[in-house]
Amino acid sequence: MDSVTLDAVDRGLLHALQVDGRAPFSRIAEVLDVADRTVARRFARLRAHGLARVTGVPDSGRIGYAEWFLRIRVRPGGAAAVAGELARRPDTAWVIVLSGGSEVTAILRVDGQQPPPVASLSRAPQVVSLDTQRLLRHLTDRQWPGRTSALTPDQILALSTPRSEESGRVALTDLDRRLLPALARDGRTDYQHLARGLGWSDSAVRRRLEELRRNRVLRFDVEVDAAVLGFPVQAALWLDVAPAHLLAVGRALATHPEIAHACATTGSHSIVAVAVCRDSEGLFGYLTERIGAIDGVRHVETAPITSIVKRAAPV
């Protein structure tokens, strides 16, 4: 990845895309008070340098998928092979190398109530141990503030689209099964190209995509390297929390700007989270002053993030 410095327009663009990943550049330009071609050129630059990618992310629970958290300890020098194999799988997201290459973690999405298909992975010669835990609930339903603090409330409102409060499982259609993978690869693909690639009409694709978004089955995420935003120190946290305090601890973490994501899982560590800080001193202060002050947290294990091999989008 080449070195790129982000200015106010870049940060505003990234925040705008986080609000609406498919917003026309003309609308974003109006909100940012810049020219249309400036927004288009900036996004093309960020894409070319591997710094920004818009991806469509379905709600796993609503489409009948279970999520599993994998924690894999590997032999010295084995992280690249294991992480690469996981990243190439269509059922994985957030493949991360930890602790200088001694561990790999990933999220595995499984259709229905089937067990996670990890038998072949557990037999890999690089794998020392494999721990699989069911992801029970996402505890942070907001975006990490480090990438969503460039716009004013009025600008955010101007870019926002209405959403329903519907919940419950949704039966996928034949169109959905083709549309969702296409949007995962590139969430900004225009309707004409989507329709041509899927073999459906423009109007059908547009109508169904808007239905999925409006009913909160599909959202669009912007993949951005936190280091580019000035937060190069990232760590995975495993929190051992007393059961009676689990919800309260989750709510507390959701208010911390250092937490990019947190989820409740089965296993001996009931919460897994990712902390993002400006430097190691910031991480130390966060662990000792913020995490240490939360009632119910009995133990915290940390592991520095060495690299993120795959985020939500397919490689």
Side-chain angles (χ1 to χ4, degrees), residues 164-175:
S164 76
E165 296 299 326
E166 291 189 22
S167 60
R169 184 169 176 176
V170 174
L172 295 181
T173 66
D174 290 339
L175 174 55

Side-chain angles (χ1 to χ4, degrees), residues 158-205:
L159 290 162
S160 300
T161 54
R163 299 284 188 271
S164 76
E165 296 299 326
E166 291 189 22
S167 60
R169 184 169 176 176
V170 174
L172 295 181
T173 66
D174 290 339
L175 174 55
D176 296 339
R177 293 187 182 91
R178 299 182 183 185
L179 178 60
L180 292 177
L183 291 170
R185 289 189 295 271
D186 184 355
R188 288 192 62 84
T189 304
D190 62 50
Y191 294 110
Q192 184 178 16
H193 283 86
L194 282 171
R196 185 161 58 245
L198 301 177
W200 290 69
S201 69
D202 290 20
S203 59
V205 170

Side-chain angles (χ1 to χ4, degrees), residues 29-47:
E30 182 178 359
V31 168
L32 298 181
D33 195 23
V34 297
D36 295 12
R37 62 181 179 275
T38 297
V39 172
R41 186 172 62 249
R42 292 299 184 92
F43 182 71
R45 169 176 167 266
L46 293 172
R47 276 291 304 268

Side-chain angles (χ1 to χ4, degrees), residues 21 25 62 67 70 120 192 212 214 243 252 256 263 274 281:
F25 287 145
R62 298 205 63 198
E67 294 182 328
L70 308 183
S120 62
Q192 184 178 16
L212 293 172
R214 185 171 59 252
H256 294 180
C263 58
V274 173
E281 280 296 319

Side-chain angles (χ1 to χ4, degrees), residues 5-303:
T5 300
L6 304 184
D7 63 13
V9 174
D10 295 321
R11 293 174 182 271
L13 168 58
L14 291 173
H15 189 173
L17 290 172
Q18 197 65 65
V19 176
D20 183 355
R22 289 187 64 83
F25 287 145
S26 58
R27 191 155 127 235
I28 295 175
E30 182 178 359
V31 168
L32 298 181
D33 195 23
V34 297
D36 295 12
R37 62 181 179 275
T38 297
V39 172
R41 186 172 62 249
R42 292 299 184 92
F43 182 71
R45 169 176 167 266
L46 293 172
R47 276 291 304 268
H49 285 83
L51 299 180
R53 182 181 183 184
V54 178
T55 181
V57 182
D59 184 311
S60 295
R62 298 205 63 198
I63 63 174
Y65 276 67
E67 294 182 328
W68 292 80
F69 182 81
L70 308 183
R71 185 177 184 184
I72 307 165
R73 299 186 187 277
V74 298
R75 302 186 190 282
V82 172
E85 179 182 344
L86 283 168
R88 289 187 291 271
R89 292 177 56 152
D91 56 357
T92 61
W94 293 102
V95 179
I96 298 174
V97 176
L98 302 169
S99 303
S102 63
E103 292 187 61
V104 177
T105 63
I107 299 294
L108 185 67
R109 296 190 174 105
V110 180
D111 190 0
Q113 300 302 314
Q114 300 299 315
V118 295
S120 62
L121 185 63
S122 64
R123 293 192 296 267
Q126 303 93 342
V127 173
V128 175
S129 66
L130 171 62
D131 183 39
T132 60
Q133 300 297 338
R134 177 71 179 264
L135 197 156
L136 301 175
R137 178 184 291 185
H138 294 277
L139 300 174
T140 45
D141 58 1
R142 49 78 172 153
Q143 300 296 332
W144 174 53
R147 59 177 177 171
T148 55
S149 55
L151 302 181
T152 67
D154 287 342
Q155 289 175 311
I156 294 172
L157 183 62
L159 290 162
S160 300
T161 54
R163 299 284 188 271
S164 76
E165 296 299 326
E166 291 189 22
S167 60
R169 184 169 176 176
V170 174
L172 295 181
T173 66
D174 290 339
L175 174 55
D176 296 339
R177 293 187 182 91
R178 299 182 183 185
L179 178 60
L180 292 177
L183 291 170
R185 289 189 295 271
D186 184 355
R188 288 192 62 84
T189 304
D190 62 50
Y191 294 110
Q192 184 178 16
H193 283 86
L194 282 171
R196 185 161 58 245
L198 301 177
W200 290 69
S201 69
D202 290 20
S203 59
V205 170
R206 182 188 296 270
R207 183 169 58 252
R208 186 53 180 165
L209 194 159
E210 291 175 352
E211 287 174 352
L212 293 172
R213 295 190 70 187
R214 185 171 59 252
N215 295 328
R216 298 181 182 272
V217 178
L218 174 70
R219 64 179 175 84
F220 289 91
D221 189 31
V222 185
E223 298 188 343
V224 184
D225 186 348
V228 178
L229 297 170
F231 298 85
V233 175
Q234 304 172 56
L237 312 180
W238 287 270
L239 282 68
D240 177 10
V241 178
H245 293 270
L246 190 55
L247 282 175
V249 172
R251 293 190 186 104
L253 292 175
T255 67
H256 294 180
E258 295 88 351
I259 294 296
H261 183 71
C263 58
T265 71
T266 59
S268 59
H269 296 94
S270 47
I271 293 180
V272 179
V274 173
V276 182
C277 300
R278 292 194 181 276
D279 51 37
S280 58
E281 280 296 319
L283 177 60
F284 177 80
Y286 175 65
L287 293 172
T288 56
E289 298 169 16
R290 304 290 298 281
I291 295 291
I294 303 176
D295 289 338
V297 177
R298 298 183 294 205
H299 175 73
V300 180
E301 181 182 350
T302 64

